Amino acid sequence: MRLATWNVNSAKSRLPRLLPWLDERAPDVVCLQETKLSDADWAAEFDGPLAERGYEVAHHGQGRWNGVALLSRVGLTDVLRGLPEEPTFDSDTPDARAITATCGGLRVTSVYVPNGRTPDDPHYGYKLRWLEALRHMVSAGDTAHTVVAGDMNIAPTDADVWDPDLFVGSTHVTPPEREALAALQATGLSDVVRDRWPGDRVFSYWDYRAGRFHKDMGMRIDLVLCGADPAGRTKAAWIDRKARKGSGPSDHAPVMVDLDEAPDGDIGPVVPPPSTPAKLKHH
């Protein structure tokens, strides 16, 4: 089984990239984030092309903002949109940031964690509350067969940003965020990409500005967190950097995890690797 997660940064804008990528990489389960479509608009654009490719689909949309989806060719049942006890922000209705279903015997959740904006913004507190609700949901379930995948908007360690000094005082790297992520993992989830490549330069996001992608000035904020069963079955874990290249890309690259067998071999950590990366600054 091939699992993938990808923040597409507008599914409609990414349509010319997404469908060929599905054909090329043939993932069995896909977690998408930032679809930026309502459920009706998603269905109009994607239900037909995805059905042709053998995918069952569950989408949780919010129009112009947020939006998450699950695609599966190995079954998709018991769909849950949102989180139990999910906090809200500036609305009585929770954002469309999580969707969960059982796919191929695994309980898979696609998540788009709130950004937090700045540490003194109310959105930062919302981010921490949202992560706590996610942790509660995971800990209440069969953690051994759980996968939580998506845009966490947190770089787990300083090794997951190209220059830690640039991010001092910013979200994504503050101790409370990293502690919240560590608490989620402490329910029994493994960061399978970092486990497989503990000392390597691995990023999944590069800002559009200032040529950061070409200089490999990135961050690793898109994670696949696996319970004991899928973690133990992992044969390859890598970043599909090819999907970030070319015209009209998302600013995120897909994260790929192969269970039981690795169709492309153990090819990571980042495929293809950057040619002339800026110097990685460690602290």
Side-chain angles (χ1 to χ4, degrees), residues 16-53:
R17 302 289 304 254
L18 177 58
L19 296 178
W21 174 80
L22 291 172
D23 295 336
E24 178 183 10
R25 295 302 191 193
D28 299 295
V29 179
V30 185
C31 300
L32 299 179
Q33 302 87 41
E34 271 203 282
T35 64
K36 298 183 180 178
L37 292 172
S38 67
D39 290 340
D41 288 342
W42 166 273
E45 292 284 346
F46 285 96
D47 278 5
L50 292 174
E52 292 172 3
R53 289 163 170 81

PDB file of all heavy atoms in Angstrom, residues 16-53:
ATOM      1  N   PRO A  16      -4.418  20.371 -13.090  1.00  0.00           N
ATOM      2  CA  PRO A  16      -3.527  19.874 -14.150  1.00  0.00           C
ATOM      3  C   PRO A  16      -2.307  19.120 -13.622  1.00  0.00           C
ATOM      4  O   PRO A  16      -1.659  18.389 -14.381  1.00  0.00           O
ATOM      5  CB  PRO A  16      -3.093  21.152 -14.877  1.00  0.00           C
ATOM      6  CG  PRO A  16      -4.098  22.182 -14.512  1.00  0.00           C
ATOM      7  CD  PRO A  16      -4.536  21.849 -13.116  1.00  0.00           C
ATOM      8  N   ARG A  17      -1.991  19.316 -12.332  1.00  0.00           N
ATOM      9  CA  ARG A  17      -0.856  18.607 -11.735  1.00  0.00           C
ATOM     10  C   ARG A  17      -1.308  17.351 -10.973  1.00  0.00           C
ATOM     11  O   ARG A  17      -0.613  16.337 -10.981  1.00  0.00           O
ATOM     12  CB  ARG A  17      -0.110  19.538 -10.756  1.00  0.00           C
ATOM     13  CG  ARG A  17       0.427  20.836 -11.347  1.00  0.00           C
ATOM     14  CD  ARG A  17       1.611  20.591 -12.274  1.00  0.00           C
ATOM     15  NE  ARG A  17       2.697  19.872 -11.638  1.00  0.00           N
ATOM     16  CZ  ARG A  17       3.853  20.421 -11.265  1.00  0.00           C
ATOM     17  NH1 ARG A  17       4.057  21.709 -11.458  1.00  0.00           N
ATOM     18  NH2 ARG A  17       4.810  19.690 -10.736  1.00  0.00           N
ATOM     19  N   LEU A  18      -2.456  17.443 -10.326  1.00  0.00           N
ATOM     20  CA  LEU A  18      -2.880  16.380  -9.420  1.00  0.00           C
ATOM     21  C   LEU A  18      -3.224  15.084 -10.157  1.00  0.00           C
ATOM     22  O   LEU A  18      -2.762  14.001  -9.774  1.00  0.00           O
ATOM     23  CB  LEU A  18      -4.080  16.851  -8.588  1.00  0.00           C
ATOM     24  CG  LEU A  18      -4.702  15.825  -7.629  1.00  0.00           C
ATOM     25  CD1 LEU A  18      -3.673  15.303  -6.641  1.00  0.00           C
ATOM     26  CD2 LEU A  18      -5.896  16.451  -6.891  1.00  0.00           C
ATOM     27  N   LEU A  19      -4.015  15.183 -11.203  1.00  0.00           N
ATOM     28  CA  LEU A  19      -4.442  13.961 -11.892  1.00  0.00           C
ATOM     29  C   LEU A  19      -3.267  13.233 -12.548  1.00  0.00           C
ATOM     30  O   LEU A  19      -3.137  12.008 -12.386  1.00  0.00           O
ATOM     31  CB  LEU A  19      -5.543  14.278 -12.898  1.00  0.00           C
ATOM     32  CG  LEU A  19      -6.844  14.815 -12.284  1.00  0.00           C
ATOM     33  CD1 LEU A  19      -7.855  15.132 -13.384  1.00  0.00           C
ATOM     34  CD2 LEU A  19      -7.444  13.835 -11.279  1.00  0.00           C
ATOM     35  N   PRO A  20      -2.372  13.918 -13.269  1.00  0.00           N
ATOM     36  CA  PRO A  20      -1.199  13.207 -13.799  1.00  0.00           C
ATOM     37  C   PRO A  20      -0.306  12.623 -12.695  1.00  0.00           C
ATOM     38  O   PRO A  20       0.304  11.558 -12.890  1.00  0.00           O
ATOM     39  CB  PRO A  20      -0.463  14.277 -14.605  1.00  0.00           C
ATOM     40  CG  PRO A  20      -1.517  15.268 -14.968  1.00  0.00           C
ATOM     41  CD  PRO A  20      -2.449  15.295 -13.802  1.00  0.00           C
ATOM     42  N   TRP A  21      -0.227  13.318 -11.563  1.00  0.00           N
ATOM     43  CA  TRP A  21       0.563  12.792 -10.441  1.00  0.00           C
ATOM     44  C   TRP A  21      -0.047  11.497  -9.927  1.00  0.00           C
ATOM     45  O   TRP A  21       0.685  10.527  -9.649  1.00  0.00           O
ATOM     46  CB  TRP A  21       0.639  13.840  -9.333  1.00  0.00           C
ATOM     47  CG  TRP A  21       1.305  13.353  -8.093  1.00  0.00           C
ATOM     48  CD1 TRP A  21       2.652  13.243  -7.869  1.00  0.00           C
ATOM     49  CD2 TRP A  21       0.665  12.898  -6.889  1.00  0.00           C
ATOM     50  NE1 TRP A  21       2.886  12.743  -6.593  1.00  0.00           N
ATOM     51  CE2 TRP A  21       1.687  12.541  -5.981  1.00  0.00           C
ATOM     52  CE3 TRP A  21      -0.664  12.783  -6.496  1.00  0.00           C
ATOM     53  CZ2 TRP A  21       1.403  12.042  -4.708  1.00  0.00           C
ATOM     54  CZ3 TRP A  21      -0.950  12.301  -5.229  1.00  0.00           C
ATOM     55  CH2 TRP A  21       0.079  11.932  -4.348  1.00  0.00           C
ATOM     56  N   LEU A  22      -1.362  11.437  -9.808  1.00  0.00           N
ATOM     57  CA  LEU A  22      -2.018  10.193  -9.393  1.00  0.00           C
ATOM     58  C   LEU A  22      -1.715   9.067 -10.376  1.00  0.00           C
ATOM     59  O   LEU A  22      -1.450   7.919  -9.972  1.00  0.00           O
ATOM     60  CB  LEU A  22      -3.524  10.401  -9.278  1.00  0.00           C
ATOM     61  CG  LEU A  22      -4.021  11.291  -8.145  1.00  0.00           C
ATOM     62  CD1 LEU A  22      -5.518  11.554  -8.300  1.00  0.00           C
ATOM     63  CD2 LEU A  22      -3.740  10.668  -6.773  1.00  0.00           C
ATOM     64  N   ASP A  23      -1.733   9.384 -11.661  1.00  0.00           N
ATOM     65  CA  ASP A  23      -1.450   8.362 -12.669  1.00  0.00           C
ATOM     66  C   ASP A  23      -0.007   7.881 -12.583  1.00  0.00           C
ATOM     67  O   ASP A  23       0.277   6.687 -12.757  1.00  0.00           O
ATOM     68  CB  ASP A  23      -1.728   8.917 -14.071  1.00  0.00           C
ATOM     69  CG  ASP A  23      -3.200   9.230 -14.299  1.00  0.00           C
ATOM     70  OD1 ASP A  23      -4.053   8.632 -13.606  1.00  0.00           O
ATOM     71  OD2 ASP A  23      -3.491  10.084 -15.160  1.00  0.00           O
ATOM     72  N   GLU A  24       0.920   8.800 -12.306  1.00  0.00           N
ATOM     73  CA  GLU A  24       2.336   8.441 -12.262  1.00  0.00           C
ATOM     74  C   GLU A  24       2.702   7.685 -10.999  1.00  0.00           C
ATOM     75  O   GLU A  24       3.366   6.636 -11.060  1.00  0.00           O
ATOM     76  CB  GLU A  24       3.200   9.695 -12.371  1.00  0.00           C
ATOM     77  CG  GLU A  24       4.694   9.399 -12.292  1.00  0.00           C
ATOM     78  CD  GLU A  24       5.555  10.645 -12.316  1.00  0.00           C
ATOM     79  OE1 GLU A  24       5.004  11.763 -12.196  1.00  0.00           O
ATOM     80  OE2 GLU A  24       6.784  10.506 -12.434  1.00  0.00           O
ATOM     81  N   ARG A  25       2.287   8.189  -9.853  1.00  0.00           N
ATOM     82  CA  ARG A  25       2.727   7.605  -8.585  1.00  0.00           C
ATOM     83  C   ARG A  25       1.809   6.500  -8.074  1.00  0.00           C
ATOM     84  O   ARG A  25       2.214   5.696  -7.237  1.00  0.00           O
ATOM     85  CB  ARG A  25       2.843   8.702  -7.525  1.00  0.00           C
ATOM     86  CG  ARG A  25       3.909   9.749  -7.807  1.00  0.00           C
ATOM     87  CD  ARG A  25       5.286   9.149  -7.955  1.00  0.00           C
ATOM     88  NE  ARG A  25       6.337  10.170  -7.968  1.00  0.00           N
ATOM     89  CZ  ARG A  25       7.589   9.932  -8.322  1.00  0.00           C
ATOM     90  NH1 ARG A  25       7.950   8.725  -8.721  1.00  0.00           N
ATOM     91  NH2 ARG A  25       8.480  10.908  -8.296  1.00  0.00           N
ATOM     92  N   ALA A  26       0.571   6.464  -8.535  1.00  0.00           N
ATOM     93  CA  ALA A  26      -0.393   5.415  -8.193  1.00  0.00           C
ATOM     94  C   ALA A  26      -0.504   5.173  -6.686  1.00  0.00           C
ATOM     95  O   ALA A  26      -0.405   4.030  -6.225  1.00  0.00           O
ATOM     96  CB  ALA A  26      -0.031   4.117  -8.919  1.00  0.00           C
ATOM     97  N   PRO A  27      -0.720   6.223  -5.906  1.00  0.00           N
ATOM     98  CA  PRO A  27      -0.922   6.001  -4.469  1.00  0.00           C
ATOM     99  C   PRO A  27      -2.258   5.313  -4.207  1.00  0.00           C
ATOM    100  O   PRO A  27      -3.234   5.522  -4.938  1.00  0.00           O
ATOM    101  CB  PRO A  27      -0.905   7.415  -3.895  1.00  0.00           C
ATOM    102  CG  PRO A  27      -1.398   8.274  -5.022  1.00  0.00           C
ATOM    103  CD  PRO A  27      -0.869   7.638  -6.271  1.00  0.00           C
ATOM    104  N   ASP A  28      -2.291   4.486  -3.178  1.00  0.00           N
ATOM    105  CA  ASP A  28      -3.528   3.791  -2.811  1.00  0.00           C
ATOM    106  C   ASP A  28      -4.399   4.622  -1.888  1.00  0.00           C
ATOM    107  O   ASP A  28      -5.631   4.549  -1.954  1.00  0.00           O
ATOM    108  CB  ASP A  28      -3.187   2.455  -2.139  1.00  0.00           C
ATOM    109  CG  ASP A  28      -2.413   1.543  -3.070  1.00  0.00           C
ATOM    110  OD1 ASP A  28      -2.991   1.124  -4.090  1.00  0.00           O
ATOM    111  OD2 ASP A  28      -1.232   1.274  -2.795  1.00  0.00           O
ATOM    112  N   VAL A  29      -3.777   5.393  -1.007  1.00  0.00           N
ATOM    113  CA  VAL A  29      -4.497   6.274  -0.089  1.00  0.00           C
ATOM    114  C   VAL A  29      -3.820   7.636  -0.136  1.00  0.00           C
ATOM    115  O   VAL A  29      -2.594   7.726  -0.003  1.00  0.00           O
ATOM    116  CB  VAL A  29      -4.484   5.733   1.353  1.00  0.00           C
ATOM    117  CG1 VAL A  29      -5.211   6.686   2.294  1.00  0.00           C
ATOM    118  CG2 VAL A  29      -5.116   4.342   1.420  1.00  0.00           C
ATOM    119  N   VAL A  30      -4.624   8.678  -0.335  1.00  0.00           N
ATOM    120  CA  VAL A  30      -4.084  10.030  -0.450  1.00  0.00           C
ATOM    121  C   VAL A  30      -4.809  10.946   0.526  1.00  0.00           C
ATOM    122  O   VAL A  30      -6.045  10.998   0.535  1.00  0.00           O
ATOM    123  CB  VAL A  30      -4.245  10.589  -1.884  1.00  0.00           C
ATOM    124  CG1 VAL A  30      -3.566  11.951  -1.999  1.00  0.00           C
ATOM    125  CG2 VAL A  30      -3.689   9.618  -2.915  1.00  0.00           C
ATOM    126  N   CYS A  31      -4.034  11.662   1.322  1.00  0.00           N
ATOM    127  CA  CYS A  31      -4.562  12.719   2.184  1.00  0.00           C
ATOM    128  C   CYS A  31      -4.244  14.054   1.515  1.00  0.00           C
ATOM    129  O   CYS A  31      -3.076  14.337   1.231  1.00  0.00           O
ATOM    130  CB  CYS A  31      -3.899  12.673   3.559  1.00  0.00           C
ATOM    131  SG  CYS A  31      -4.136  11.131   4.461  1.00  0.00           S
ATOM    132  N   LEU A  32      -5.266  14.858   1.270  1.00  0.00           N
ATOM    133  CA  LEU A  32      -5.072  16.173   0.672  1.00  0.00           C
ATOM    134  C   LEU A  32      -5.458  17.259   1.657  1.00  0.00           C
ATOM    135  O   LEU A  32      -6.368  17.065   2.471  1.00  0.00           O
ATOM    136  CB  LEU A  32      -5.917  16.325  -0.604  1.00  0.00           C
ATOM    137  CG  LEU A  32      -5.632  15.368  -1.755  1.00  0.00           C
ATOM    138  CD1 LEU A  32      -6.581  15.652  -2.911  1.00  0.00           C
ATOM    139  CD2 LEU A  32      -4.183  15.467  -2.226  1.00  0.00           C
ATOM    140  N   GLN A  33      -4.783  18.395   1.551  1.00  0.00           N
ATOM    141  CA  GLN A  33      -5.108  19.551   2.383  1.00  0.00           C
ATOM    142  C   GLN A  33      -5.173  20.809   1.522  1.00  0.00           C
ATOM    143  O   GLN A  33      -4.588  20.870   0.454  1.00  0.00           O
ATOM    144  CB  GLN A  33      -4.066  19.755   3.501  1.00  0.00           C
ATOM    145  CG  GLN A  33      -3.889  18.573   4.422  1.00  0.00           C
ATOM    146  CD  GLN A  33      -2.869  17.590   3.900  1.00  0.00           C
ATOM    147  OE1 GLN A  33      -1.817  17.986   3.386  1.00  0.00           O
ATOM    148  NE2 GLN A  33      -3.162  16.308   4.004  1.00  0.00           N
ATOM    149  N   GLU A  34      -5.855  21.805   2.082  1.00  0.00           N
ATOM    150  CA  GLU A  34      -6.057  23.101   1.421  1.00  0.00           C
ATOM    151  C   GLU A  34      -6.683  22.934   0.041  1.00  0.00           C
ATOM    152  O   GLU A  34      -6.217  23.513  -0.948  1.00  0.00           O
ATOM    153  CB  GLU A  34      -4.749  23.910   1.345  1.00  0.00           C
ATOM    154  CG  GLU A  34      -4.526  24.778   2.569  1.00  0.00           C
ATOM    155  CD  GLU A  34      -3.599  25.954   2.296  1.00  0.00           C
ATOM    156  OE1 GLU A  34      -2.380  25.757   2.236  1.00  0.00           O
ATOM    157  OE2 GLU A  34      -4.127  27.076   2.156  1.00  0.00           O
ATOM    158  N   THR A  35      -7.763  22.165  -0.017  1.00  0.00           N
ATOM    159  CA  THR A  35      -8.472  22.027  -1.285  1.00  0.00           C
ATOM    160  C   THR A  35      -9.149  23.336  -1.684  1.00  0.00           C
ATOM    161  O   THR A  35      -9.339  23.607  -2.862  1.00  0.00           O
ATOM    162  CB  THR A  35      -9.524  20.919  -1.213  1.00  0.00           C
ATOM    163  OG1 THR A  35     -10.526  21.261  -0.249  1.00  0.00           O
ATOM    164  CG2 THR A  35      -8.880  19.584  -0.868  1.00  0.00           C
ATOM    165  N   LYS A  36      -9.548  24.138  -0.703  1.00  0.00           N
ATOM    166  CA  LYS A  36     -10.173  25.456  -0.943  1.00  0.00           C
ATOM    167  C   LYS A  36     -11.417  25.345  -1.817  1.00  0.00           C
ATOM    168  O   LYS A  36     -11.664  26.195  -2.671  1.00  0.00           O
ATOM    169  CB  LYS A  36      -9.168  26.438  -1.551  1.00  0.00           C
ATOM    170  CG  LYS A  36      -7.972  26.727  -0.645  1.00  0.00           C
ATOM    171  CD  LYS A  36      -7.032  27.758  -1.265  1.00  0.00           C
ATOM    172  CE  LYS A  36      -5.837  28.042  -0.366  1.00  0.00           C
ATOM    173  NZ  LYS A  36      -4.890  29.000  -0.971  1.00  0.00           N
ATOM    174  N   LEU A  37     -12.183  24.293  -1.599  1.00  0.00           N
ATOM    175  CA  LEU A  37     -13.425  24.074  -2.333  1.00  0.00           C
ATOM    176  C   LEU A  37     -14.538  23.682  -1.380  1.00  0.00           C
ATOM    177  O   LEU A  37     -14.297  23.029  -0.361  1.00  0.00           O
ATOM    178  CB  LEU A  37     -13.252  22.954  -3.366  1.00  0.00           C
ATOM    179  CG  LEU A  37     -12.339  23.220  -4.563  1.00  0.00           C
ATOM    180  CD1 LEU A  37     -12.147  21.934  -5.366  1.00  0.00           C
ATOM    181  CD2 LEU A  37     -12.912  24.310  -5.451  1.00  0.00           C
ATOM    182  N   SER A  38     -15.775  24.037  -1.735  1.00  0.00           N
ATOM    183  CA  SER A  38     -16.933  23.491  -1.043  1.00  0.00           C
ATOM    184  C   SER A  38     -17.086  22.023  -1.446  1.00  0.00           C
ATOM    185  O   SER A  38     -16.509  21.567  -2.443  1.00  0.00           O
ATOM    186  CB  SER A  38     -18.192  24.257  -1.421  1.00  0.00           C
ATOM    187  OG  SER A  38     -18.503  24.033  -2.794  1.00  0.00           O
ATOM    188  N   ASP A  39     -17.880  21.278  -0.697  1.00  0.00           N
ATOM    189  CA  ASP A  39     -18.104  19.878  -1.059  1.00  0.00           C
ATOM    190  C   ASP A  39     -18.738  19.766  -2.444  1.00  0.00           C
ATOM    191  O   ASP A  39     -18.384  18.878  -3.232  1.00  0.00           O
ATOM    192  CB  ASP A  39     -18.998  19.205  -0.013  1.00  0.00           C
ATOM    193  CG  ASP A  39     -18.273  19.012   1.321  1.00  0.00           C
ATOM    194  OD1 ASP A  39     -17.019  19.029   1.340  1.00  0.00           O
ATOM    195  OD2 ASP A  39     -18.965  18.843   2.342  1.00  0.00           O
ATOM    196  N   ALA A  40     -19.667  20.670  -2.762  1.00  0.00           N
ATOM    197  CA  ALA A  40     -20.329  20.618  -4.065  1.00  0.00           C
ATOM    198  C   ALA A  40     -19.353  20.913  -5.204  1.00  0.00           C
ATOM    199  O   ALA A  40     -19.361  20.230  -6.235  1.00  0.00           O
ATOM    200  CB  ALA A  40     -21.494  21.611  -4.092  1.00  0.00           C
ATOM    201  N   ASP A  41     -18.512  21.922  -5.024  1.00  0.00           N
ATOM    202  CA  ASP A  41     -17.551  22.261  -6.070  1.00  0.00           C
ATOM    203  C   ASP A  41     -16.490  21.171  -6.218  1.00  0.00           C
ATOM    204  O   ASP A  41     -16.030  20.884  -7.333  1.00  0.00           O
ATOM    205  CB  ASP A  41     -16.891  23.604  -5.768  1.00  0.00           C
ATOM    206  CG  ASP A  41     -17.834  24.776  -5.975  1.00  0.00           C
ATOM    207  OD1 ASP A  41     -18.864  24.599  -6.669  1.00  0.00           O
ATOM    208  OD2 ASP A  41     -17.556  25.867  -5.435  1.00  0.00           O
ATOM    209  N   TRP A  42     -16.086  20.587  -5.104  1.00  0.00           N
ATOM    210  CA  TRP A  42     -15.156  19.454  -5.179  1.00  0.00           C
ATOM    211  C   TRP A  42     -15.766  18.325  -6.007  1.00  0.00           C
ATOM    212  O   TRP A  42     -15.123  17.786  -6.911  1.00  0.00           O
ATOM    213  CB  TRP A  42     -14.799  18.955  -3.779  1.00  0.00           C
ATOM    214  CG  TRP A  42     -14.140  17.618  -3.798  1.00  0.00           C
ATOM    215  CD1 TRP A  42     -14.738  16.396  -3.792  1.00  0.00           C
ATOM    216  CD2 TRP A  42     -12.727  17.357  -3.871  1.00  0.00           C
ATOM    217  NE1 TRP A  42     -13.794  15.388  -3.845  1.00  0.00           N
ATOM    218  CE2 TRP A  42     -12.561  15.950  -3.902  1.00  0.00           C
ATOM    219  CE3 TRP A  42     -11.595  18.174  -3.905  1.00  0.00           C
ATOM    220  CZ2 TRP A  42     -11.305  15.349  -3.967  1.00  0.00           C
ATOM    221  CZ3 TRP A  42     -10.338  17.569  -3.967  1.00  0.00           C
ATOM    222  CH2 TRP A  42     -10.208  16.182  -3.996  1.00  0.00           C
ATOM    223  N   ALA A  43     -17.021  17.962  -5.687  1.00  0.00           N
ATOM    224  CA  ALA A  43     -17.674  16.866  -6.400  1.00  0.00           C
ATOM    225  C   ALA A  43     -17.758  17.148  -7.894  1.00  0.00           C
ATOM    226  O   ALA A  43     -17.514  16.259  -8.731  1.00  0.00           O
ATOM    227  CB  ALA A  43     -19.071  16.628  -5.819  1.00  0.00           C
ATOM    228  N   ALA A  44     -18.080  18.392  -8.248  1.00  0.00           N
ATOM    229  CA  ALA A  44     -18.214  18.743  -9.658  1.00  0.00           C
ATOM    230  C   ALA A  44     -16.892  18.616 -10.402  1.00  0.00           C
ATOM    231  O   ALA A  44     -16.853  18.202 -11.573  1.00  0.00           O
ATOM    232  CB  ALA A  44     -18.764  20.163  -9.786  1.00  0.00           C
ATOM    233  N   GLU A  45     -15.793  18.963  -9.746  1.00  0.00           N
ATOM    234  CA  GLU A  45     -14.487  18.948 -10.400  1.00  0.00           C
ATOM    235  C   GLU A  45     -13.812  17.583 -10.372  1.00  0.00           C
ATOM    236  O   GLU A  45     -13.138  17.191 -11.335  1.00  0.00           O
ATOM    237  CB  GLU A  45     -13.553  19.969  -9.736  1.00  0.00           C
ATOM    238  CG  GLU A  45     -13.935  21.425  -9.952  1.00  0.00           C
ATOM    239  CD  GLU A  45     -13.578  21.923 -11.337  1.00  0.00           C
ATOM    240  OE1 GLU A  45     -12.796  21.248 -12.045  1.00  0.00           O
ATOM    241  OE2 GLU A  45     -14.093  22.986 -11.727  1.00  0.00           O
ATOM    242  N   PHE A  46     -13.970  16.842  -9.271  1.00  0.00           N
ATOM    243  CA  PHE A  46     -13.087  15.711  -9.016  1.00  0.00           C
ATOM    244  C   PHE A  46     -13.760  14.345  -8.955  1.00  0.00           C
ATOM    245  O   PHE A  46     -13.089  13.340  -9.181  1.00  0.00           O
ATOM    246  CB  PHE A  46     -12.320  15.941  -7.708  1.00  0.00           C
ATOM    247  CG  PHE A  46     -11.225  16.948  -7.825  1.00  0.00           C
ATOM    248  CD1 PHE A  46     -11.438  18.270  -7.464  1.00  0.00           C
ATOM    249  CD2 PHE A  46      -9.984  16.598  -8.320  1.00  0.00           C
ATOM    250  CE1 PHE A  46     -10.428  19.211  -7.579  1.00  0.00           C
ATOM    251  CE2 PHE A  46      -8.962  17.517  -8.436  1.00  0.00           C
ATOM    252  CZ  PHE A  46      -9.188  18.834  -8.074  1.00  0.00           C
ATOM    253  N   ASP A  47     -15.038  14.272  -8.623  1.00  0.00           N
ATOM    254  CA  ASP A  47     -15.636  12.947  -8.417  1.00  0.00           C
ATOM    255  C   ASP A  47     -15.513  12.065  -9.657  1.00  0.00           C
ATOM    256  O   ASP A  47     -15.169  10.880  -9.567  1.00  0.00           O
ATOM    257  CB  ASP A  47     -17.104  13.084  -8.001  1.00  0.00           C
ATOM    258  CG  ASP A  47     -17.258  13.377  -6.512  1.00  0.00           C
ATOM    259  OD1 ASP A  47     -16.221  13.567  -5.835  1.00  0.00           O
ATOM    260  OD2 ASP A  47     -18.409  13.425  -6.029  1.00  0.00           O
ATOM    261  N   GLY A  48     -15.777  12.637 -10.838  1.00  0.00           N
ATOM    262  CA  GLY A  48     -15.687  11.855 -12.065  1.00  0.00           C
ATOM    263  C   GLY A  48     -14.281  11.375 -12.374  1.00  0.00           C
ATOM    264  O   GLY A  48     -14.051  10.166 -12.525  1.00  0.00           O
ATOM    265  N   PRO A  49     -13.305  12.297 -12.461  1.00  0.00           N
ATOM    266  CA  PRO A  49     -11.938  11.863 -12.765  1.00  0.00           C
ATOM    267  C   PRO A  49     -11.361  10.894 -11.728  1.00  0.00           C
ATOM    268  O   PRO A  49     -10.599   9.988 -12.093  1.00  0.00           O
ATOM    269  CB  PRO A  49     -11.142  13.170 -12.783  1.00  0.00           C
ATOM    270  CG  PRO A  49     -12.150  14.225 -13.104  1.00  0.00           C
ATOM    271  CD  PRO A  49     -13.417  13.772 -12.468  1.00  0.00           C
ATOM    272  N   LEU A  50     -11.715  11.067 -10.462  1.00  0.00           N
ATOM    273  CA  LEU A  50     -11.188  10.168  -9.445  1.00  0.00           C
ATOM    274  C   LEU A  50     -11.847   8.797  -9.516  1.00  0.00           C
ATOM    275  O   LEU A  50     -11.193   7.765  -9.337  1.00  0.00           O
ATOM    276  CB  LEU A  50     -11.362  10.783  -8.058  1.00  0.00           C
ATOM    277  CG  LEU A  50     -10.501  12.025  -7.806  1.00  0.00           C
ATOM    278  CD1 LEU A  50     -10.839  12.646  -6.458  1.00  0.00           C
ATOM    279  CD2 LEU A  50      -9.009  11.703  -7.883  1.00  0.00           C
ATOM    280  N   ALA A  51     -13.158   8.759  -9.794  1.00  0.00           N
ATOM    281  CA  ALA A  51     -13.842   7.478  -9.943  1.00  0.00           C
ATOM    282  C   ALA A  51     -13.251   6.689 -11.116  1.00  0.00           C
ATOM    283  O   ALA A  51     -13.097   5.459 -11.043  1.00  0.00           O
ATOM    284  CB  ALA A  51     -15.336   7.697 -10.142  1.00  0.00           C
ATOM    285  N   GLU A  52     -12.900   7.388 -12.180  1.00  0.00           N
ATOM    286  CA  GLU A  52     -12.275   6.727 -13.331  1.00  0.00           C
ATOM    287  C   GLU A  52     -10.963   6.071 -12.944  1.00  0.00           C
ATOM    288  O   GLU A  52     -10.554   5.071 -13.565  1.00  0.00           O
ATOM    289  CB  GLU A  52     -12.026   7.735 -14.451  1.00  0.00           C
ATOM    290  CG  GLU A  52     -13.290   8.272 -15.107  1.00  0.00           C
ATOM    291  CD  GLU A  52     -12.993   9.409 -16.069  1.00  0.00           C
ATOM    292  OE1 GLU A  52     -11.789   9.737 -16.264  1.00  0.00           O
ATOM    293  OE2 GLU A  52     -13.952   9.985 -16.614  1.00  0.00           O
ATOM    294  N   ARG A  53     -10.310   6.600 -11.952  1.00  0.00           N
ATOM    295  CA  ARG A  53      -9.028   6.064 -11.497  1.00  0.00           C
ATOM    296  C   ARG A  53      -9.196   5.090 -10.337  1.00  0.00           C
ATOM    297  O   ARG A  53      -8.198   4.647  -9.760  1.00  0.00           O
ATOM    298  CB  ARG A  53      -8.111   7.228 -11.099  1.00  0.00           C
ATOM    299  CG  ARG A  53      -7.635   8.036 -12.302  1.00  0.00           C
ATOM    300  CD  ARG A  53      -7.080   9.399 -11.908  1.00  0.00           C
ATOM    301  NE  ARG A  53      -6.419  10.045 -13.038  1.00  0.00           N
ATOM    302  CZ  ARG A  53      -7.058  10.703 -14.010  1.00  0.00           C
ATOM    303  NH1 ARG A  53      -8.397  10.785 -13.964  1.00  0.00           N
ATOM    304  NH2 ARG A  53      -6.400  11.256 -15.007  1.00  0.00           N
TER     305      ARG A  53
END
